[in-house]
Amino acid sequence: MRIPSSGLLSVLCLSALNAWALPGPPKVKESILPPRGWMKSGIPPADHNIVLRIGLPQPNFHLLEKHLYEVSDPYHDRYGAHLSKEETEALVAPHRDSLEAVNEWLESHNIYEADIVRSPAKDWVTITIPVSLAEKMLDTKYNVWKHSSGDEMVRTTSYSLPDNLHRHVDVVQPTTMFGRFKRDKSTIVWLDEEVEGASQKAQTLAATTITDASTGAEVDASCNATITIKCLQQLYNAVGFVPSVPKQNSIGITGYLEEFANLQDLQLFYADQRPDALNSSYKFVSVKGGLNNQTLSEAGVEAGLDVQFAFGLSHPIPATFYSTAGRPPFKPDVKTPTNTNEPYTDWLDFVLNQAHPPLSISTSYGDDEQTVPESFARRACQGFAQLGARGVSLMFSSGDGGVGDNDPNPATQQCFTNDGRNAFPDVSAQSDRYRIFLSGRPILIGGTSASSPAFAGFVALLNDVRLAHGKPSLGFLNPLLYSKAASGFNDITLGHNSGCGTTGFNATKGWDPVTGLGTPNFGKLKKLVL
């Protein structure tokens, strides 16, 4: 089922906004306090180039959100009736008056259509301009800011727009965003003797099995020392499952910050844990010039972990690895048009423009929330919502710091809270002592950056179940997880996440801020998703 014709008609018949008038005096659009750890360290050269992104309002996003929840609700009669790329774009397109207002503003600064890059829905405008021009347009002053870690970026803490342009612009970045985009922290065991010791222990325990009293699952005792594909299949009741319609399905992994997935490491991993996948691979997709460095010594630990377990669990479902260029923060150089926006936005722009994005996608990178302005966070969320409405399931690792940020120094540790109203995490999975191959040798690694690709692999398998029965993909998962599928998770009731001198939150019966709804029971879920 598609959007009713009346829904599309409402997009075309909106009441007109007030016509664009001559630019008025500048009025502050957004202002923040300098985030913790950042200090001014200088002034950028006037001809230093920045890539400025201007987000135009999406007056019909509420309609998209309505569709999103209807097609994602297992009890709604539109469940699974995902929108097409074109239908989604129609629902996020800006009003004509906003397009004209922004165009006139840009033209007043001698910026014309040939200088502009627009998103498919025309809700984002991207221009590359000298910082001196950005300062004039935004009535602000950019500075070089330096973080206590040594990272530098060109930012401002306040910017303005003509008063009558405010309603036509949601956000302009990079301005007030000080995010230090990074992969989630992982605990890595590098020493060969430790890995070999774990391997020998695993071999010793291989013949011993443990039966889970609550689920009845039989798990090799070796899984207490090392987590493998086989362990996850046993723990989550997926032993023996083979995808039946893999060609109709797809799974993707996002890669950022020059994290390179290495094919040689992947083949070593398959030989070790998934021999039936030997000589299979994935599709590499470059975003904004993202590289595919296959030098073994340059293999990325995060990229390796993500592709090995996500693609190993979901084999033979077609897989894609996205390598998105950019490594902000950066050392500002004269005339270098370095894009210091969040790489999320580059990837979002790219994948939203694809007719058929992967149906299950995992990301193990993020920012500290307090460095991300609400205006940007909302627009990024609205981009992810578009993917959900199109039938794509998105998994993000929630971070590995408990109620702290994993900084062992109490003097610099940042403490965070989770009152449960924001419900994170939603779900959980094993996250410690995953055995992967890095630069040609085995290592053990852990963190929620391991849990997310593993869970994405199981979601891909659940999509196979639905597709094999002639049903569409799962799409946005949360309405399903918190209703019909809630009984398909193993409730974790013991443990806590310590930090900031406290024991943090406790795992308890039902949803909790440590493990969410619990870990997946694939055997139950494959029945519940039909």
Side-chain angles (χ1 to χ4, degrees):
M1 181 176 178
R2 295 298 182 187
I3 302 177
S5 57
S6 59
L8 285 176
L9 184 63
S10 65
V11 177
L12 303 175
C13 298
L14 292 171
S15 59
L17 299 176
N18 290 336
W20 167 247
L22 293 174
K27 179 181 177 182
V28 174
K29 176 68 173 176
E30 189 167 63
S31 182
I32 65 166
L33 295 173
R36 178 179 176 179
W38 289 96
M39 295 187 65
K40 292 180 182 179
S41 69
I43 298 175
D47 54 359
H48 169 77
N49 285 330
I50 60 175
V51 180
L52 206 63
R53 289 172 52 87
I54 304 162
L56 280 63
Q58 301 167 336
N60 287 292
F61 180 77
H62 66 286
L63 295 178
L64 174 73
E65 190 173 33
K66 179 176 182 290
H67 288 298
L68 171 66
Y69 279 98
E70 287 180 356
V71 303
S72 306
D73 179 355
Y75 297 114
H76 198 282
D77 59 6
R78 292 189 61 214
Y79 182 53
H82 305 305
L83 308 186
S84 69
K85 174 178 180 291
E86 293 74 19
E87 290 168 337
T88 302
E89 290 170 359
L91 289 169
V92 298
H95 193 278
R96 180 183 60 195
D97 286 357
S98 294
L99 288 168
E100 293 176 354
V102 171
N103 285 347
E104 291 189 27
W105 173 59
L106 294 175
E107 289 172 4
S108 72
H109 293 282
N110 297 315
I111 299 170
Y112 300 96
E113 193 63 32
D115 307 310
I116 296 171
V117 176
R118 299 186 188 273
S119 63
K122 298 184 178 181
D123 56 330
W124 282 102
V125 170
T126 303
I127 55 176
T128 301
I129 57 175
V131 69
S132 56
L133 178 55
E135 290 177 335
K136 181 180 178 181
M137 294 173 66
L138 302 175
D139 191 40
T140 190
K141 182 65 179 176
Y142 278 87
N143 285 275
V144 178
W145 290 77
K146 188 170 185 177
H147 190 260
S148 55
S149 67
D151 291 331
E152 290 184 325
M153 61 172 60
V154 175
R155 291 292 188 271
T156 181
T157 56
S158 177
Y159 71 92
S160 300
L161 294 172
D163 189 9
N164 50 356
L165 191 64
H166 276 228
R167 64 185 168 203
H168 298 294
V169 173
D170 275 349
V171 61
V172 180
Q173 291 293 347
T175 50
T176 57
M177 184 159 182
F178 285 73
R180 297 170 59 238
F181 190 69
K182 55 189 180 295
R183 65 180 177 85
D184 281 328
K185 300 172 184 176
S186 299
T187 303
I188 304 172
V189 178
W190 292 95
L191 300 178
D192 286 332
E193 56 267 25
E194 290 194 46
V195 176
E196 290 308 313
S199 297
Q200 292 171 7
K201 182 179 179 181
Q203 291 173 9
T204 301
L205 295 173
T208 307
T209 60
I210 300 172
T211 301
D212 187 296
S214 60
T215 66
E218 292 190 349
V219 182
D220 291 348
S222 61
C223 298
N224 280 325
T226 305
I227 293 296
T228 62
I229 294 290
K230 183 180 179 181
C231 289
L232 294 178
Q233 291 171 334
Q234 292 176 337
L235 284 164
Y236 304 140
N237 196 13
V239 174
F241 180 83
V242 178
S244 57
V245 288
K247 291 183 179 180
Q248 299 179 33
N249 204 349
S250 52
I251 184 172
I253 291 292
T254 63
Y256 301 96
L257 308 181
E258 299 170 14
E259 278 277 335
F260 306 120
N262 187 273
L263 293 170
Q264 187 175 336
D265 280 339
L266 181 63
Q267 295 306 314
L268 289 171
F269 177 82
Y270 283 162
D272 184 59
Q273 298 188 34
R274 192 79 202 238
D276 60 319
L278 266 172
N279 300 318
S280 67
S281 187
Y282 53 82
K283 178 182 178 182
F284 172 83
V285 175
S286 172
V287 179
K288 290 284 187 176
L291 301 178
N292 186 21
N293 186 343
Q294 288 299 308
T295 304
L296 194 59
S297 61
E298 296 295 319
V301 62
E302 184 62 61
L305 167 63
D306 291 354
V307 302
Q308 289 172 34
F309 269 88
F311 301 163
L313 281 166
S314 60
H315 177 76
I317 294 170
T320 299
F321 177 73
Y322 295 95
S323 177
T324 302
R327 194 180 177 88
F330 72 107
K331 186 77 172 178
D333 297 316
V334 177
K335 297 184 179 179
T336 302
T338 307
N339 187 345
T340 63
N341 285 293
E342 285 291 80
Y344 274 153
T345 60
D346 287 333
W347 180 79
L348 261 176
D349 284 350
F350 180 88
V351 78
L352 284 171
N353 199 28
Q354 306 306 301
H356 303 289
L359 298 177
S360 174
I361 302 176
S362 174
T363 296
S364 296
Y365 304 77
D367 265 321
D368 293 332
E369 185 176 1
Q370 63 269 33
T371 67
V372 180
E374 181 180 345
S375 58
F376 177 88
R378 287 188 179 278
R379 284 304 294 257
C381 185
Q382 288 169 206
F384 296 135
Q386 294 175 54
L387 288 174
R390 290 173 57 182
V392 176
S393 299
L394 298 173
M395 272 61 65
F396 289 85
S397 55
S398 60
D400 307 322
V403 294
D405 63 354
N406 215 24
D407 182 348
N409 184 349
T412 58
Q413 186 179 65
Q414 298 185 53
C415 302
F416 308 101
T417 64
N418 178 4
D419 58 11
R421 288 181 295 182
N422 292 323
F424 69 90
D426 294 301
V427 293
S428 55
Q430 283 288 327
S431 63
D432 197 19
R433 303 186 75 81
Y434 275 53
R435 178 180 170 89
I436 70 166
F437 281 79
L438 180 66
S439 298
R441 65 187 179 96
I443 66 167
L444 301 181
I445 184 171
T448 56
S449 51
S451 303
S452 183
F455 192 86
F458 283 106
V459 171
L461 299 182
L462 291 172
N463 275 332
D464 178 85
V465 172
R466 284 183 57 81
L467 294 168
H469 284 79
K471 298 179 181 294
S473 60
L474 290 167
F476 178 42
L477 293 171
N478 288 43
L480 171 70
L481 297 181
Y482 288 95
S483 60
K484 185 178 179 181
S487 61
F489 288 85
N490 306 313
D491 193 8
I492 310 300
T493 59
L494 297 175
H496 58 84
N497 59 344
S498 59
C500 292
T502 74
T503 57
F505 297 103
N506 292 320
T508 189
K509 186 175 181 180
W511 183 92
D512 60 66
V514 185
T515 63
L517 293 170
T519 60
N521 185 324
F522 182 79
K524 290 184 178 180
L525 287 170
K526 69 180 182 180
K527 299 175 183 178
L528 293 169
V529 299
L530 293 177

